[in-house]
Amino acid sequence: MGTGHNVLGRALPRVDSMEQVTGATRFADDLTLPGTLVGRQLLSTHPHALIVGIDTSRAEALDGVRAVITGSDLPITYGILPVSQDENALAVDRVRYVGDPVAAVAADNAEIAERALSLIEVDYEPLAEVVDLEQGLSEDRPLIHGEGSGRNVHRSVALEFGDVDEGFGVADHIREDVFHYSGNTHAALETHCVLASYDASGKLTLWSSTQVPHYLHRSLERVLELPAGRIRVVATPNGGGFGGKTEPFSHEFVAAKLSILTGRPVRINLSREEVFYAHRGRHPVLMWVRTGFASDGRITAMHFRSFLDGGAYSSYGIVSLYYTGALQTTTYQIPNYRFEGVRVFTNKPACGPKRGHGTPQPRFAVECQLDRAAEDLDMDPVGIRLVNAVEPDSSTVNHLRITSCGLRDCIAKVAGASDFTARHGRLPHGQGLGLAVGAYMSGAGLPIYWNDMPQSEVQVKVDRGGGVTVYSMATDVGQGSTTMLATVVAEMLGLQPSDLAMVTADTDLTPVDLGSYSSRVTFMAGNAAVEAAGKVRDRVVRAVAEKLEANPSDLVLADGRVSVAGDPAAGPDWSEAVRMAIATEGPLIESGSYRAPELAGPYKGSGVGISPAYSYSACVAQVRCDADTGMVVVERVWLAHDVGRAINSLLVEGQIEGGVYMGLGEALLEEQAFRGGLHRGPSLLDYKIPTILEMPPVESIIVESVDPEGPFGAKEVGQGPLLPVVPAVANAVHDALGVYIDEVPITPDRVVAALRDLARGGSGRFGPESVPDFDFGTPVRVEPPEGFVAP
Amino acid sequence: MTEQVLSLQVNGVEHRILTADHRTLLEVLREDMAMVGTKHGCDLGECGACTVLLDGRPVLACLVLAVQVAGRTITTIEGMAEDGIPHPLQTAFSEKGAAQCGYCTPAMLLTARALLDEVQAPGPDDIRQALAGNLCRCTGYNKIIEAVEAAAGAQD
Amino acid sequence: MTMRLPNFEFVAPASVDEAARLLSDPGRSSLIVGGGTDLFPKMKRRQAVPTTLVSLSGVDEMRGVRVDAAGNCVIGASTLLADLATSEVVPSAVATAAASIASPQIRNTATVGGNLCLDTRCNYIDMPETWREASGHCLKDGGETCWVAPQGDRCWAINSSDLAPVAIALGGSVRLMSTRGERLVPVGDLYGDDGIDCHTMAADEILVELLIPSDGGRATYRKLRRRGSIDFPLLGVAAAGRFDPDGICLEVRIVIGAVTPAPVRATEAEEFLIGQRLTEEVIVQAADIASGPVRPQDNTDTGSRYRKWMIPVFVGRALRDLVADDG
Ligand SMILES: Cc1cc2nc3c(=O)[nH]c(=O)nc-3n(C[C@H](O)[C@H](O)[C@H](O)COP(=O)(O)OP(=O)(O)OC[C@H]3O[C@@H](n4cnc5c(N)ncnc54)[C@H](O)[C@@H]3O)c2cc1C
Ligand code: FES
Ligand code: FES
């Protein structure tokens, strides 16, 4: 085989880009079936209340209304995690946040549906509300899930790896800091939409903007009590996901039920307001972190506490909670580590996974604290990070396996490109530079529900004309998974990605992929595609080698031909080669699959954070601050990301830039804010996502550490680049103004408050002072993995 | 309900549509004319996803009534390619990776086109100002700016 | 497309007289619509449900900017903000203010008349219906209480027009027409200091044009907002002044917008400045005086404390603009 690559790593356009730019891409709301009804949901106007009665009779009597349903029509609970099945499609007996769907209608048109909603009378008996961490931890508030009153603790965790007390004992310097990271949300531009159709044969089809067709399929089976074989889920191209469409939602069950009842297709398109209530976005997390350092900057111990305000339902909450403690060790060698965390229920929209799931918050805390430790120890931000940086092929104290690791390279690259060391601390007042790093998983090591089947399967079928069709349930949410698969298969077969037909995200047609979450698709579906395409290639090579009487290992697949190395003109073109293979061994249909290695450590909760590979990033942000108004302008960002291997460099850059963008929004603008149980502004005017005017130039630097297990060495890039951006900005603001804004987002009012404090002789810090007194219990002690060497 | 028969000039073709006064151009395009290339993200003028060109100028289809635009020239994404040949902006958006999920893309393209129709070689700041009403949640905008610059270059 | 407009009849008369006649018809609940960029979102949220919309887009003479014989700028109420923003005839502060409004697309349909007649805004009222029901409808929304200041009996919704402060600072006035005739009103007198009763004009009066006198002096507009586009002002400060050759202030108007139901003139600060040269020290003092009486409420982004802090900063910047060398 030749060593050069056909298409790998090139900056090729997405395979679906011409459809996108001509407006031909069909999102869920663009699909129509004859006779489609408009579905709408009635939302709770109480943060916490019992439903005493619902009268739907007037709505039902309205001309043009085809069905009205309430909680009792969909009584079976669901939830993305098998251990937390605490949601109903429509509230049963009780509403838990403003926006909780309580009833739904299907009507001939939007006007009638709206009128019908206004005719539904719900009789509520309000309960005391629980709207923040403090209330969630109080003993005398009503339980949001359960009867009576008490602490609304969803789950708490206490783990200790190594001996933390000993680690602090040997420290030369110890810091304790408190941080708060406000909640924020995905705000994908496309609002969630589903079209459900129950046909005469008793088969239900859902076209939905979901990132997880497989999990939705399973949940529909459960809630609707239909056999899986009679349900088809098609994930339409998502108009952005970012984790916001990563679990089943009310409207999906509701549309399905309304279609079953009416025998007509039903569409539900959430309004922007409803999307803010459906949420599942970033948890607000209050954090306390105590870290011990040796005088040379090495970390001797870390004790991390996180308090998550989870909102009204579990969602991925348990996993989110564990994530706030899991990945601290993936960037720095922490020899002794204690993690304590708690998630509470509150009467607000449920939080869940957003790009970086549970890890941007602790990353913010750790990276800001590290800069301060560096100041204390008279080190520079680069130095303290390099002293602690993890090494390739090592394990962490909490049993994570690190293989490829380009962290040092990333730090060196951004520091070099931004001239960090020469400029940090030396820019005029108001201007600053900040550095931070991060790491993220290339796919969660375990599936969401326990099973020992592969996490991803891909099928490649070749027809007699040489046409290649790739089948995969991987769902393109804009990240380019379809292009990634096409590129991998094209690379293997010596074709162009645009030559292939891609059939994706359809539970009837495609083999399982668990979904577009946890940055798993490139690694897992990519590996499955490598295997499937490899089998196809082997068969074609075998057939051609036989025909040419050549040695199979001398054959090269490139430019649509199969030829002997060194003699590209000899040998058949691809379609002829395919016919040879079919003639010799029959249909050319092959499949491949991927299953992550067993990585879980010897403790409960070790399933969270394990991954076959970790991506690494480092970021430098340059800011200019207006000391009078507190406005922070990010002038430039450098971001180096170790993606293992770039399968398509254009798409990798796109993910880096998109991650930087989203991180900047979180750092400076975005907050899912509440006043009591009421959202402060469920609109794109009040919830401020950056416009083009807020976006600085980004220098993306691709680092390739070539992972031993990734497809062609590739790792993830969808989430990781966001992580270091937020603390890099915070550290830059400190460099610029001398203030410490320990609360994200870094809004102008917070900056000015800190500056005024500084001017009065204070510390110039804005942020939470303390964390609640919560008894996490005695931590479970876990011995470090065998062979773990403390630095 | 007051209804009128309107004559709408969309992408160079005259359409006669019977519609109620209170319906927006966005609703009429998507629901009555099956031209679903025009998107929506808020319905309230806050995101720019519904941008179409009215007499060559970008406007928000969610805040314009169909009755208000009768007889005027409307361009949607479906009318951007001419005789099946993509506009240079479309090619550039594809080649430069300016679309990720593609949801903001039709509106971005039309807004950018109005700019290029007016300014031959816009600089990055002109492009930023022109696209300041179009939100994109995926790309971070930089590849969009590159694509507009490339298309401007390809035009002359 | 979940948020839809309620039913209404749309009429587009060809003359102001006809529009005035339609508006005076007691049989209809009519509203004027310019570009609809303020009205339509409100109607979609059911904050307003008129049965008839009277559009002024068919009235040709209401569009465009001209300079009259006395050198005054006459800006037709139906002039698009996009056209005002690029007009070379209007004072640059007016163009700057227009260019800062909303987004490019909105400026391509929004009108000058609609901007000056913008309804007051508040983050308890400019919310979807479900939200307003959940919060308990506020005073402006037909309820009993203003949630911003529940002790009081008035509404604190904010005048967020970006043009109004500049127009007032420049001594502008508007021509209003109805079936009862026409009148010329200083822009400053157009607004009532109550979030509900926020306009002094009658419901059937049409704002036909905005007049900016030629002798308004040097002027500036400074807008505070979180994002460079789309956002309403969190604070808008306009200033205009005339100075003698030695830099002594002969006349000055300072107008603070987007904090209270009507834009407010900083009259004390203005009086303080007359006869003075605008040194840095004087500017700082004047800025403090200007900010003294203004009480922002917690009814938009970033809260009241911050906006209060920003008033002297922005007044100071506006005053510095007036005496800056570059013009
Ligand atoms: C996302 C978004 C952002 C915005 N940002 C800003 C901003 O930054 N600054 C700002 O100032 N505004 C902003 N606006 C509000 C609005 O777009 C502008 O104020 C615009 O100028 C309103 O003009 P219009 O012609 O569209 O008004 P319309 O909506 O047509 O009318 C507004 C009001 O004025 C009345 N009216 C209109 N014309 C007349 C007339 N000739 N005589 C009498 N009454 C009349 C109407 O009855 C209505 O009550 C924003 C709006 C949106 C949706
Ligand atoms: S749909 Fe968002 S601006 Fe029109
Ligand atoms: S590409 Fe997804 S919103 Fe712009």
Side-chain angles (χ1 to χ4, degrees), chain A residues 115 216 225 319 345 370 397 514 550:
Chain A
R115 201 148 3 110
L216 176 58
E225 297 181 285
V319 176
F345 287 122
L370 208 56
V397 72
L514 295 180

Side-chain angles (χ1 to χ4, degrees), chain B residues 26 39-51 60-63:
Chain B
L26 178 66
K39 304 302 174 206
H40 57 92
C42 71
D43 300 338
L44 294 173
E46 302 169 354
C47 74
C50 63
T51 305
L60 301 176
C62 73
L63 293 188

Side-chain angles (χ1 to χ4, degrees), chain A residues 17 20 29-30 186 653 670, chain B residues 39-40 94 100 137 143:
Chain A
S17 69
Q20 293 180 316
D29 194 36
D30 301 337
H186 321 84
E653 276 177 24
E670 300 179 31
Chain B
K39 304 302 174 206
H40 57 92
S94 162
Q100 283 184 22
R137 194 57 168 161
K143 298 218 177 293

Side-chain angles (χ1 to χ4, degrees), chain C:
Chain C
M1 295 170 297
T2 316
M3 305 204 68
R4 309 233 170 193
L5 288 165
N7 265 325
F8 55 79
E9 183 190 358
F10 180 86
V11 284
S15 71
V16 181
D17 287 346
E18 201 187 328
R21 246 195 330 277
L22 282 164
L23 286 164
S24 67
D25 177 354
R28 313 162 178 258
S29 83
S30 306
L31 280 182
I32 300 172
V33 63
T37 61
D38 178 45
L39 197 54
F40 292 153
K42 289 192 186 250
M43 287 171 67
K44 286 187 175 185
R45 294 188 296 251
R46 302 298 184 267
Q47 290 163 252
V49 220
T51 58
T52 307
L53 286 188
V54 180
S55 165
L56 302 169
S57 58
V59 185
D60 289 337
E61 74 256 29
M62 280 181 64
R63 213 168 312 122
V65 184
R66 63 191 166 85
V67 180
D68 69 9
N72 299 314
C73 251
V74 183
I75 304 166
S78 296
T79 306
L80 299 179
L81 294 181
D83 295 334
L84 189 63
T86 52
S87 166
E88 289 177 0
V89 194
V90 300
S92 65
V94 174
T96 306
S100 79
I101 294 169
S103 65
Q105 292 96 319
I106 288 181
R107 294 195 293 274
N108 279 332
T109 48
T111 66
V112 170
N115 191 268
L116 291 172
C117 298
L118 191 66
D119 194 5
T120 52
R121 301 180 54 83
C122 171
N123 58 16
Y124 283 95
I125 179 102
D126 294 298
M127 289 287 172
E129 259 187 310
T130 302
W131 193 99
R132 302 205 310 278
E133 199 177 322
S135 73
H137 298 274
C138 74
L139 207 54
K140 189 174 162 80
D141 201 19
E144 310 272 287
T145 316
C146 167
W147 294 118
V148 174
Q151 309 84 352
D153 54 2
R154 53 167 298 183
C155 165
W156 284 99
I158 302 168
N159 182 307
S160 300
S161 163
D162 279 306
L163 287 183
V166 200
I168 297 169
L170 283 164
S173 50
V174 289
R175 191 181 306 283
L176 304 178
M177 282 179 74
S178 68
T179 49
R180 296 179 301 283
E182 68 166 67
R183 57 188 185 121
L184 200 63
V185 177
V187 177
D189 293 349
L190 206 53
Y191 306 106
D193 194 25
D194 180 275
I196 297 169
D197 234 353
C198 52
H199 295 113
T200 56
M201 54 198 283
D204 66 342
E205 275 184 308
I206 301 167
L207 194 161
V208 180
E209 57 199 20
L210 166 66
L211 290 93
I212 304 285
S214 56
D215 59 352
R218 206 163 173 182
T220 185
Y221 181 65
R222 289 276 185 161
K223 174 173 178 172
L224 173 68
R225 57 179 156 180
R226 295 287 297 287
R227 298 180 293 183
S229 177
I230 305 178
D231 288 348
F232 280 92
L234 295 169
L235 171 68
V237 174
R242 289 191 302 119
F243 302 87
D244 78 4
D246 295 330
I248 302 293
C249 179
L250 303 173
E251 193 188 344
V252 67
R253 289 200 193 84
I254 304 169
V255 186
I256 301 170
V259 281
T260 41
V264 278
R265 281 275 294 274
T267 42
E268 274 178 60
E270 292 172 2
E271 279 159 25
F272 167 80
L273 288 170
I274 305 288
Q276 300 222 58
R277 193 173 289 115
L278 269 62
T279 60
E280 188 54 32
E281 194 178 299
V282 167
I283 288 174
V284 170
Q285 263 178 291
D288 274 339
I289 298 172
S291 119
V294 190
R295 298 263 168 277
Q297 304 290 326
D298 186 13
N299 54 353
T300 180
D301 191 25
T302 65
S304 52
R305 184 177 73 157
Y306 175 70
R307 280 154 67 237
K308 176 77 184 171
W309 287 340
M310 288 306 105
I311 295 171
V313 173
F314 274 66
V315 172
R317 288 183 177 183
L319 292 176
R320 271 176 221 112
D321 287 346
L322 293 187
V323 292
D325 282 338
D326 53 31

Side-chain angles (χ1 to χ4, degrees), chain A residues 22 114 247 260 343 421 438 559 579 691:
Chain A
T22 53
E114 183 184 324
E247 56 200 287
I260 291 171
R343 182 181 193 259
T421 307
D559 303 326
R579 282 188 289 272
T691 74

Side-chain angles (χ1 to χ4, degrees), chain A residues 12 81 129 156 231 310 473 481 502 674 690 699 755 786 789:
Chain A
L12 292 174
L81 301 184
E129 58 188 44
S156 73
I231 305 172
M473 208 181 286
S481 58
M502 305 301 295
F674 292 84
E699 190 173 319
L755 282 165
E786 225 171 290
V789 269

Side-chain angles (χ1 to χ4, degrees), chain B residues 24-27 29 38-39 50-52 59-65, chain C residues 44:
Chain B
T24 61
L25 176 58
L26 178 66
E27 289 158 13
L29 284 172
T38 307
K39 304 302 174 206
C50 63
T51 305
V52 299
V59 301
L60 301 176
C62 73
L63 293 188
V64 173
L65 302 177
Chain C
K44 286 187 175 185

